[in-house]
Each structure stands twice: as C-alpha cells, then as structure tokens.
C-alpha cells in the first residue's frame, strides 16, 4: 500500500484499529492475561520476547486480516521485530493492515487533574526510522482524571504540539487524550475535552489533518462535532477498562467512531491454546469489535 492508499483505508475503511502497543509498564499485566506468569522470564529482554511472540501469533493468524482490521498500533520493539521473517510493519501491510507506532514515553505525575506526557527528546529519530519502515502514523496518550479546565487545555495543547511534529515528518498522528472511565466527573470531562479539541482543530493549518483516539463518552453523540470536523481523518475509541461486551455496546451508540481496542481485543487469548482455539477466540473478538464499529444503533435505541 502507498501512503495515499493507507490514507483512504483509514479514512473510509470498514473495520477497526487493533492496539498491540502495550509498553514496558503494562507488559507483565498483558502477559498474565495471556496466561504467562511473572516467573516465566528472567530479564526484560525475555519478557519482551514473550510479548512479541504473542503479537506475532496474532498478526500471523489467518483471521487477522485487512478485511476487518484496517490498522494496528505497534510498540517500538514490536515495530523493530519481525513476523514470519519480515519486518512487522511489512507483515501488516502485506495483509492490508495500516501500521501505526506508539511514540509516547509514559506519563508525568498527576497535576491539575491530568497526566501530561513525559518529554520525548528522541522523537524525531524515531519518526524517521518508523517512516522508513513503512509506518503510516503514530499514537500518543495522555490521561484526564477530573474536569479541570486548565488541566484539560494543557493536555490538548501538548497533544497538538506533538501532533504537529509528527505531521512535519509526513506521518499521521493519533491524538489520545484518554478520559479515565472511573472519573467522578467523566461527563464534564467529555464536554470540556470536545470543546478544547475543536479549538485546536480549527487552528490547524489548512490541508493538515489528525486522528483522534478517545474514551467512549458518557452521553452518546458527545463527539459528533469531532467526527464531522473536516480536519479529522478518523475518530477511534479505546476500551478504557470496559469489558469487550460493554465497550462494543457503547461503541455502537456513537456514529462514525470505530474501535481501537487492546484489552477488549486480547482478553480471551491464552498462550496455552491450540492454533485452532486461538484463531477461533481471536476471530470471535474481531467479529464483535467489527460489528460495534460498523453497525450503529439509532439514537432512540441507544437512549
């Protein structure tokens, strides 16, 4: 796929984006969920080797194709690895799946009700290397815990600053200001966040676009203005701690938003499964998330 083909697939394709980007801090939890306990590795390298085996198994599965999975977000080490003897981005592209790379280096401590991203001093080098491997876009995550207008404005401003750096390398940024689904002021966070994003979108230079990865809103339709904004290529949703069933139900209530799930995609997969069992479980997850992404319920039904 050429960049123009990737752009068209992400903008208009039926399906969802798989999030295969668990990083150092979340890898042990992801492996435990996969049925691999902490005592299975003796070093960080062995740990990352095990998580790469899991991701390789997913990417290699015959049910993991561009028919329903239009994109996949990779951890840096996964991008640098191989699947079936070829670089991971190339393995995805061969299946019709558009590759993205997670670029953030984790979160700062909470302040003003939010967690900003840590500095990324080597970002330009990572972007150059990623683009050379055929990666189409990036993803960067911040977290919003409470409806603090100043904090949320700072999150969005930082996200768009990094997004501009990504765009300058000819890549597509996925801006992810996650709202904590356990927040007591979650609905207010959604409203403030939407307004701040619109403000920053309106300020983008003509011809530039971004993608958005957002928590599923409390009130369905809250992010309609973002879905319809001419400077947004696509809006995707994270599962954010919801079970797969819960996330798919909420996703179906929001028009124009497709999934970019991680835990909700991987939760039923186990290392001990036979290939047939693994493919069946993965296929069931893909079908459910595809349905939530593509078959929307009417507003009256959602209410």
């Amino acid at each position: 796929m050429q960049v123009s083909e990737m752009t068209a697939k992400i903008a208009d394709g039926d399906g969802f984006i798989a999030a295969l980007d668990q990083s150092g801090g979340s890898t042990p939890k992801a492996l435990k969920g996969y049925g691999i306990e902490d005592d299975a590795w003796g070093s960080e390298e062995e740990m990352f080797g095990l998580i790469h085996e899991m991701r390789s198994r997913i990417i290699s599965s015959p049910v993991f194709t561009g028919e329903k999975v239009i994109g996949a977000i990779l951890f840096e080490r996964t991008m640098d690895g191989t699947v079936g003897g070829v670089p991971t981005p190339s393995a995805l592209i061969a299946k019709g799946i558009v590759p993205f790379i997670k670029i953030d280096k984790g979160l700062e401590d909470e302040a003003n009700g939010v967690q900003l991203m840590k500095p990324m001093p080597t970002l330009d080098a990572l972007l150059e290397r990623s683009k050379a491997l055929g990666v189409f876009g990036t993803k960067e995550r911040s977290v919003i815990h409470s409806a603090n207008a100043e904090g949320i404005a700072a999150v969005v401003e930082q996200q768009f600053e990094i997004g501009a750096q990504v765009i300058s390398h000819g890549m597509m940024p996925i801006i992810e200001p996650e709202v904590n689904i356990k927040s007591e002021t979650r609905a207010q966070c959604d409203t403030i966040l939407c307004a701040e994003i619109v403000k920053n979108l309106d300020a983008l230079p003509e011809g530039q676009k971004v993608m958005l990865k957002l928590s599923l809103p409390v009130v369905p339709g809250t992010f309609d203005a973002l879905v319809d904004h001419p400077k947004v290529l696509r809006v995707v949703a994270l599962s954010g701690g919801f079970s797969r069933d819960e996330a798919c139900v909420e996703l179906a209530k929001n028009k124009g938003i497709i999934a970019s799930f991680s835990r909700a995609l991987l939760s039923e997969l186990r290392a001990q499964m036979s290939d047939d069992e693994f493919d069946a479980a993965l296929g069931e997850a893909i079908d459910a998330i595809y349905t939530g992404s593509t078959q929307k319920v009417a507003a009256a039904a959602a209410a």
Side-chain angles (χ1 to χ4, degrees), residues 69-230:
V69 183
I70 62 173
I73 304 169
L74 303 173
F75 178 47
E76 184 177 349
R77 285 175 179 255
T78 307
M79 178 190 76
D80 290 335
T82 60
V83 174
V86 300
T88 306
S90 298
L92 289 169
I93 292 168
K95 289 190 137 193
I97 299 171
V98 178
F100 292 80
I101 175 72
K102 167 188 159 69
I103 58 172
D104 67 83
K105 301 300 182 184
L107 301 170
E108 301 279 17
D109 292 337
E110 183 176 343
N112 289 333
V114 303
Q115 287 179 275
L116 296 170
M117 295 178 287
K118 290 181 177 178
M120 302 174 225
T122 60
L123 179 57
D124 285 319
L126 175 59
L127 294 173
E128 290 172 10
R129 188 158 51 82
S130 302
K131 189 174 183 185
L133 287 167
V135 173
F136 172 72
T138 64
K139 191 214 77 164
E140 57 199 56
R141 172 178 173 263
S142 314
V143 178
I144 296 166
H145 296 286
S146 62
N148 181 306
E150 181 182 347
I152 294 173
V155 159
V156 177
E157 181 180 4
Q158 184 191 40
Q159 284 278 348
F160 273 82
E161 285 176 358
I162 298 298
Q165 191 173 350
V166 172
I167 291 170
S168 74
H169 285 264
M171 299 178 74
M172 174 59 61
I174 300 178
I175 286 168
E176 183 186 10
E178 174 182 348
V179 173
N180 185 340
I181 65 166
K182 296 180 180 178
S183 170
E184 295 179 358
T185 55
R186 192 173 137 222
Q188 297 98 306
C189 290
D190 292 341
T191 301
I192 298 169
L193 176 62
C194 185
E196 284 297 329
I197 293 175
V198 168
K199 185 192 307 181
N200 281 267
L201 287 170
D202 290 344
L204 273 180
E206 285 302 316
Q208 290 189 6
K209 291 189 177 187
V210 300
M211 293 174 63
L212 302 170
K213 182 168 179 175
L214 306 172
S215 302
L216 290 158
V218 175
V219 179
T222 296
F223 298 136
D224 284 356
L226 305 179
V227 172
D228 296 333
H229 200 287

Side-chain angles (χ1 to χ4, degrees), residues 238-259:
L238 57 117
S239 51
F242 284 123
S243 71
R244 186 171 74 221
D245 288 346
E246 290 170 332
C248 288
V249 166
E250 293 304 312
L251 179 63
K253 298 175 185 177
N254 289 276
K255 70 168 189 175
I257 300 181
I258 64 173

Side-chain angles (χ1 to χ4, degrees), residues 6-16 66-68 70 234 258 290 293-294:
M6 293 186 191
T7 304
K9 179 145 198 175
I10 294 301
D12 303 315
D14 283 339
F16 66 94
E67 183 180 348
K68 294 182 177 179
I70 62 173
R234 201 82 188 251
I258 64 173
Y290 176 84
S293 296
T294 58

